[in-house]
Amino acid sequence: MIYLIRLSYLLCLIMAVSASAETKQDFIQKLKSHYQHTQHISAFSLNHHFLNQQYRDQNYWDFKTPNRAMSIRTVEVDFARKHFYDNDILYFPGGLLFDRVQFQNDEESYYYEKTGVFLGKGVIKQGMNRFDIATRYLVMKLDFLAVRPLISEQNIQQNIKFITDQKSATTTLIHHTNDNTIDYTFSNAPLRLLSINHRPLNGFFEYEDYQTTRGINYARVVHQYYDGATIPNYITYNDSFYIIERVDPNHLKLPRGYNVEMPRGDGILTANKIGEDLYLVTDSAGLRNSLVKITGNDITLFGASSSERTARKVLTFVTDHFPTKKITSVHVSHPHGDEIAGLALYADRNIEIWADEYTISGIKAYQKFAKNIDSFKFRAIKHEQEINEIQFYVLETMHAKRQSFVHFETAGIIFQSDFLHIPFDNTIATVIPNYTRTFIDFIRTHKLKYHRIVGSYGNNAISLDVVNKTYGALM
């Protein structure tokens, strides 16, 4: 019986190979004819919008009903000149508007923000390989660009494997190039790209809703899965596509006033005393900031759990810098992924996690902690609770259903995360989230005395004057 099964399998394999040898060339020729009218396109603009699951863990309002972030994107690309312009506008809960741009011309490549939320007027200089990096993912959103490596293959017989499925009326071409493999699956009638399994990008792409506009037929909806995701990381809607001669020259230069390059940072942590037994831990770039509060022999950390990398660096540094003290607790503001991702390292050290009840529930629901959550130690904090001369406040905002901050009254310091977005140069953003008003209204109403607000990222010395200007921009 086993012999018959093996023989049957061998016969099927021989038939498949035979069919492949007979029809592979013909099918490739059909593809070339099908996409022939798009092969001349070397410069284009694409307007599209997408729902972004990648940022969901960082920006949902309620972890029980997670939402996707909306993004509207406009790109212009010139393959011949290697120029590109990419304007991505992200809309987050509570009115946060993240309007960012990157471009590359003949000599330089930069990244900056139009709204100035995080960088202000600062810019980030990118390498001249940015074109290749950006377009590598961009072409996957347009089926007729995504198939170009396949239909331009010269050694079809050796580098392309051909598989037909009569039941589903589909054809799959497996393309081997430079030790990389990409699978393309097409429907036979009509001839359309259905999906790509792109191993070099660790991505799977599904193409749907084909329409013809200005003589070009292309998929209007693309589902993108990365790293084995079971739900799409992105759902892209291609709204309009235009053939252009070149990227608009005005899009290939920095706007007036944008001329300060942001420091890369040396990654070396330092501890600066900013109050009695209170230290600011950050590096030269200040991209992530933590506070160390010493009470007797115990240390409580603030803003030190944004990622495993941050948590590991801070734990190592604080342990070495304060060898006679012991880290006993860490505070978490709200249960977004970029606030809690590093907590497992604290749980491994039996360090207590301080957070409000809602945030604790969000931490317990975080999928990455599912296997070890029983080892986490929690201490629930309440609104207006004081612990070791640290005053905690828990607010409900449109950024997170519950979100806390701390006030060190004696030192005149407030530590907060995601209530205020103030860049290093104190630029006031053109769009201010409504939860920023909630925060400022609260500290004014309660007459909290402070001379410095430390943000968990970026600006760690926000003054009263800047807070007032930010509130004025809301009016």
Side-chain angles (χ1 to χ4, degrees):
M1 182 65 180
I2 295 176
Y3 171 77
L4 292 175
I5 293 174
R6 287 178 176 175
L7 180 61
S8 175
Y9 172 78
L10 182 60
L11 289 173
C12 290
L13 183 62
I14 292 172
M15 291 175 64
V17 171
S18 176
S20 171
E22 293 175 354
T23 62
K24 184 192 304 185
Q25 298 283 354
D26 292 339
F27 191 82
I28 295 292
Q29 189 56 49
K30 286 181 183 179
L31 289 181
K32 290 182 177 180
S33 298
H34 180 73
Y35 290 108
Q36 182 177 8
H37 64 292
T38 65
Q39 294 304 292
H40 69 285
I41 299 174
S42 63
F44 67 88
S45 69
L46 173 67
N47 297 319
H48 58 293
H49 68 280
F50 57 86
L51 299 175
N52 189 339
Q53 190 265 341
Q54 176 185 352
Y55 290 106
R56 186 174 68 178
D57 285 347
Q58 283 76 34
N59 293 279
Y60 54 68
W61 179 70
D62 184 358
F63 72 87
K64 297 178 183 178
T65 56
N67 54 285
R68 287 176 179 266
M70 168 66 78
S71 177
I72 296 177
R73 202 162 194 167
T74 300
V75 295
E76 297 177 27
V77 176
D78 185 337
F79 286 111
R81 298 179 176 87
K82 281 202 165 187
H83 292 174
F84 85 97
Y85 167 82
D86 181 359
N87 181 201
D88 184 16
I89 305 174
L90 281 163
Y91 296 87
F92 293 129
L96 175 62
L97 182 64
F98 191 13
D99 190 348
R100 54 190 183 178
V101 172
Q102 58 176 331
F103 69 86
Q104 180 173 315
N105 55 34
D106 287 335
E107 300 176 348
E108 57 191 8
S109 179
Y110 281 105
Y111 171 97
Y112 66 92
E113 297 172 8
K114 289 185 176 181
T115 46
V117 177
F118 299 111
L119 299 182
K121 297 295 183 181
V123 302
I124 296 176
K125 191 170 186 178
Q126 303 181 127
M128 292 303 288
N129 64 337
R130 193 63 193 173
F131 177 90
D132 296 326
I133 295 172
T135 57
R136 191 182 188 200
Y137 291 90
L138 175 63
V139 297
M140 301 307 298
K141 298 178 182 180
L142 293 165
D143 58 284
F144 56 86
L145 294 180
V147 300
R148 282 187 176 181
L150 175 69
I151 61 180
S152 63
E153 174 60 59
Q154 297 298 310
N155 193 345
I156 296 173
Q157 199 62 34
Q158 180 176 335
N159 293 336
I160 296 178
K161 183 179 179 181
F162 179 75
I163 301 173
T164 59
D165 187 333
Q166 294 182 352
K167 186 176 181 179
S168 63
T170 61
T171 298
T172 298
L173 298 179
I174 304 175
H175 190 199
H176 300 283
T177 60
N178 299 325
D179 297 325
N180 290 322
T181 302
I182 305 174
D183 303 347
Y184 302 81
T185 299
F186 300 86
S187 63
N188 296 330
L191 182 60
R192 287 175 178 171
L193 177 66
L194 297 179
S195 67
I196 295 178
N197 183 14
H198 200 297
R199 290 173 179 80
L201 296 180
N202 202 16
F204 185 81
F205 307 84
E206 295 177 330
Y207 300 86
E208 303 174 358
D209 191 21
Y210 278 83
Q211 299 180 35
T212 300
T213 303
R214 288 180 290 279
I216 301 177
N217 182 265
Y218 58 95
R220 296 304 179 96
V221 180
V222 183
H223 289 204
Q224 300 162 251
Y225 304 78
Y226 291 99
D227 302 320
T230 57
I231 60 174
N233 300 92
Y234 305 90
I235 303 175
T236 297
Y237 300 86
N238 292 321
D239 300 313
S240 59
F241 178 87
Y242 299 92
I243 300 173
I244 60 177
E245 292 185 4
R246 63 192 306 164
V247 178
D248 184 343
N250 291 319
H251 290 162
L252 297 176
K253 57 185 180 182
L254 290 171
R256 182 178 299 176
Y258 288 78
N259 54 14
V260 178
E261 188 174 344
M262 300 298 295
R264 292 286 180 177
D266 54 20
I268 301 174
L269 296 181
T270 59
N272 302 306
K273 190 172 183 178
I274 59 174
E276 187 64 30
D277 292 325
L278 185 63
Y279 297 83
L280 170 66
V281 174
T282 189
D283 67 4
S284 60
L287 297 180
R288 276 290 174 181
N289 307 306
S290 303
L291 287 190
V292 171
K293 179 65 172 75
I294 299 176
T295 306
N297 292 320
D298 296 338
I299 291 177
T300 301
L301 298 178
F302 300 84
S305 57
S306 60
S307 68
E308 287 190 358
R309 181 175 180 272
T310 296
R312 186 173 290 106
K313 284 186 66 174
V314 172
L315 280 168
T316 300
F317 174 80
V318 172
T319 300
D320 292 343
H321 197 78
F322 302 96
T324 63
K325 309 298 181 182
K326 181 181 179 182
I327 302 171
T328 56
S329 52
V330 59
H331 168 256
V332 177
S333 170
H334 53 288
H336 287 177
D338 60 348
E339 300 289 329
I340 68 175
L343 285 178
L345 296 181
Y346 293 93
D348 289 343
R349 297 192 180 197
N350 204 35
I351 295 172
E352 195 172 56
I353 299 166
W354 292 2
D356 64 87
E357 291 281 9
Y358 171 80
T359 297
I360 291 174
S361 297
I363 294 169
K364 290 180 177 179
Y366 195 58
Q367 189 175 4
K368 293 181 180 179
F369 301 152
K371 294 181 179 180
N372 304 314
I373 193 62
D374 290 341
S375 66
F376 284 52
K377 287 176 55 180
F378 294 101
R379 178 174 182 174
I381 59 172
K382 299 183 182 300
H383 180 54
E384 297 187 338
Q385 181 177 358
E386 182 178 320
I387 305 174
N388 298 332
E389 298 183 347
I390 305 168
Q391 190 77 45
F392 292 85
Y393 296 96
V394 183
L395 308 185
E396 180 171 340
T397 74
M398 290 303 294
H399 180 72
K401 193 170 183 178
R402 293 292 184 275
Q403 187 175 354
S404 64
F405 70 94
V406 293
H407 181 216
F408 303 92
E409 184 175 5
T410 303
I413 302 290
I414 291 175
F415 181 84
Q416 58 82 33
S417 182
D418 289 326
F419 283 105
L420 287 174
H421 307 289
I422 307 294
F424 290 106
D425 63 5
N426 291 318
T427 293
I428 306 302
T430 57
V431 178
I432 308 296
N434 56 32
Y435 51 81
T436 295
R437 178 192 292 273
T438 300
F439 173 71
I440 299 176
D441 276 339
F442 183 87
I443 61 177
R444 284 180 171 181
T445 301
H446 286 70
K447 298 180 179 179
L448 301 187
K449 296 180 179 180
Y450 68 94
H451 64 86
R452 177 177 185 171
I453 295 180
V454 177
S456 63
Y457 56 85
N459 198 328
N460 53 49
I462 304 169
S463 67
L464 175 62
D465 180 57
V466 170
V467 171
N468 290 337
K469 288 179 179 178
T470 301
Y471 194 84
L474 283 163
M475 305 304 291

